Amino acid sequence: MDVKAVLPPRGRDYRLDLLRGFANWAIYLDHIPNNAVNWITQKNFGFSDAADLFVFISGYTASFVYARMMLERGTVIGATRLIKRAWQIYVAHVLLFVIYIAEIGYLSQRYHDPNLQDEFNVAGFMHNPAETLYQGLILAFKPVNMDVLPLYISLMLCYPLVLWAMLRKLNLTLLASFLLYLAARHFGWNLPAYPSGSWYFNPFCWQFLFVFGGWFALGGASESITFIRSRAFLWLGGAYLLFALVMTLAGRFPELGQAMPAWLYDAFNPNDKTNLAPYRVLHFVVLAFFVTRFLPREWPGYEWPIFQPIIKCGQQSLEVFCTGVFLAVIAHVVLVEVSGSIWMQIAVSIVGIVLMTALAYYRSWSKKVDKAPSKAPVAAQTPVAAQTPATAKPAE
């Protein structure tokens, strides 16, 4: 195999766990409408948000895990393990899908609020459950806040071929992904959704961020390290992040937006998330480069107790993500039906994160228990033929 990619060093990269844990917490907070606590998340300070980070890290981890498997055990084994992982994510999505609909149906009846069904896009299931369930199983029907996993599944299913190409032509594969991104934006390519419209996360566009994560893991970061550490990038990247901050705040505060020229404000507001606007991609690339520059892999701070909960949530990402989607609905209903005060917003935010963290610690402990060897091995029985006459039983 003529491999051109450079694999990352062996061992766990705690930067990924830290950032993925942050993404899971931020997605939970962002999924709660009218929640002041989500002002601490990334989406309020720039063009990209936690979804971009989640997709990028997913591409990064899929690449260095399964690329090494392809190299050491063969392309077929690596490809089938990728598909197996996609199947595991699909099973988790279907389970969450069923629980999610049951949760919303129960809460809407409990509080006599049928608007919840429309708000979370599950009213169609109540009227036509068989067709809607089928469309959900083929990923065409997605309730509100359940768009990320179908995107992840679709990208993982296509990734064996992409990863095979990246191991041979790393930069060329990234270029092909970028051209697909441009074509999808230009021609309006997307997948249809049920009962109408298209996917909220356009997979033909978001695939570029996934592939960019793979490129970053397989040598792209090392190829770009001179630029990343340059003074020019420090100033240009910092200026762009400041510009993104101002434009994002202009979309949040009408007074600031009205003080800007209309052509400038309209170019960035509303933020095109569905088709992954170019300014959004550039914002995330700059952030990724800054993290590479200022957050080393060997930083001792990963061992600090303050970071352990978020790192643990990053290590158990799938379970924590699904739990966060489930808990966000309950938090929203509490704010609507019980109290929407600032203290309740803080309470539901903290309680949700604590529950997600507790699940992460339990899953980590449970996996260790499953892998741990038995403390007291069963003593082997002495063969009958080896028994002494004094201990041997008489034949009947």
Side-chain angles (χ1 to χ4, degrees):
M1 180 186 293
D2 185 18
V3 176
K4 304 294 184 182
V6 179
L7 297 183
R10 291 183 181 272
R12 194 159 200 121
D13 190 341
Y14 289 100
R15 292 176 302 179
L16 301 178
D17 296 330
L18 180 68
L19 294 173
R20 188 160 44 189
F22 167 77
N24 276 320
W25 286 9
I27 289 173
Y28 165 71
L29 295 175
D30 290 340
H31 281 174
I32 306 173
N34 303 317
N35 179 23
V37 181
N38 64 29
W39 266 98
I40 67 175
T41 65
Q42 178 185 343
K43 72 171 186 176
N44 300 289
F45 306 102
F47 298 135
S48 63
D49 61 21
D52 306 61
L53 180 58
F54 186 89
V55 173
F56 169 82
I57 293 179
S58 298
Y60 189 107
T61 54
S63 297
F64 81 76
V65 170
Y66 296 101
R68 192 179 300 278
M69 191 176 296
M70 282 186 174
L71 295 177
E72 295 177 351
R73 303 177 61 187
T75 301
V76 174
I77 292 179
T80 55
R81 297 309 90 185
L82 263 168
I83 295 175
K84 177 183 177 181
R85 181 57 178 167
W87 170 254
Q88 292 172 341
I89 300 169
Y90 175 78
V91 171
H93 171 73
V94 171
L95 179 61
L96 177 62
F97 174 80
V98 174
I99 296 175
Y100 194 76
I101 292 178
E103 174 190 26
I104 296 170
Y106 170 78
L107 290 174
S108 65
Q109 294 181 1
R110 173 67 176 79
Y111 291 99
H112 307 287
D113 187 1
N115 292 328
L116 281 176
Q117 299 178 13
D118 295 319
E119 186 176 355
F120 288 95
N121 191 32
V122 300
F125 181 85
M126 306 303 174
H127 301 302
N128 189 1
E131 177 65 19
T132 307
L133 178 61
Y134 167 75
Q135 295 293 336
L137 293 177
I138 63 173
L139 307 181
F141 170 70
K142 295 176 285 294
V144 171
N145 297 338
M146 286 198 60
D147 303 277
V148 174
L149 289 185
L151 172 69
Y152 192 5
I153 295 165
S154 63
L155 296 179
M156 288 289 283
L157 287 174
C158 301
Y159 207 57
L161 180 60
V162 176
L163 186 55
W164 179 89
M166 292 185 76
L167 288 173
R168 290 157 177 81
K169 300 291 182 181
L170 182 66
N171 294 331
L172 188 61
T173 305
L174 180 67
L175 176 61
S177 173
F178 183 65
L179 293 176
L180 175 59
Y181 162 80
L182 293 178
R185 286 187 55 85
H186 179 74
F187 295 107
W189 296 342
N190 200 343
L191 295 179
Y194 177 85
S196 61
S198 54
W199 281 35
Y200 180 70
F201 290 103
N202 185 343
F204 298 110
C205 295
W206 280 81
Q207 55 79 28
F208 175 69
L209 206 56
F210 195 86
V211 175
F212 175 70
W215 174 86
F216 212 80
L218 300 179
S222 58
E223 288 183 2
S224 309
I225 197 65
T226 301
F227 174 72
I228 292 173
R229 292 176 177 171
S230 68
R231 183 179 296 272
F233 167 70
L234 182 63
W235 286 101
L236 291 175
Y240 185 73
L241 293 183
L242 180 60
F243 171 75
L245 171 63
V246 173
M247 296 308 303
T248 302
L249 292 178
R252 303 288 190 273
F253 299 100
E255 297 81 4
L256 180 58
Q258 292 171 3
M260 294 182 174
W263 62 267
L264 179 61
Y265 177 85
D266 294 340
F268 300 96
N269 291 285
N271 189 328
D272 183 8
K273 187 172 183 177
T274 292
N275 296 308
L276 196 63
Y279 53 81
R280 190 181 180 104
V281 174
L282 180 58
H283 182 262
F284 184 82
V285 170
V286 172
L287 286 177
F289 283 1
F290 268 112
V291 169
T292 303
R293 177 171 180 153
F294 293 111
L295 189 63
R297 181 187 177 105
E298 299 80 12
W299 182 49
Y302 303 124
E303 302 295 332
W304 296 354
I306 190 174
F307 291 126
Q308 290 308 300
I310 193 169
I311 288 176
K312 193 67 67 175
C313 286
Q315 292 173 347
Q316 312 297 330
S317 179
L318 182 58
E319 297 90 338
V320 170
F321 174 83
C322 293
T323 303
V325 173
F326 174 82
L327 292 176
V329 177
I330 299 177
H332 173 58
V333 172
V334 169
L335 295 181
V336 172
E337 303 293 345
V338 180
S339 172
S341 67
I342 183 64
W343 298 111
M344 185 62 77
Q345 296 172 35
I346 295 173
V348 297
S349 300
I350 293 176
V351 169
I353 289 177
V354 168
L355 291 175
M356 293 160 63
T357 305
L359 173 67
Y361 274 96
Y362 168 75
R363 286 293 298 151
S364 179
W365 171 82
S366 179
K367 291 178 180 180
K368 289 180 181 179
V369 170
D370 292 339
K371 294 179 181 179
S374 176
K375 292 183 179 179
V378 179
Q381 290 184 343
T382 304
V384 174
Q387 293 177 352
T388 61
T391 59
K393 295 181 179 181
E396 294 183 1

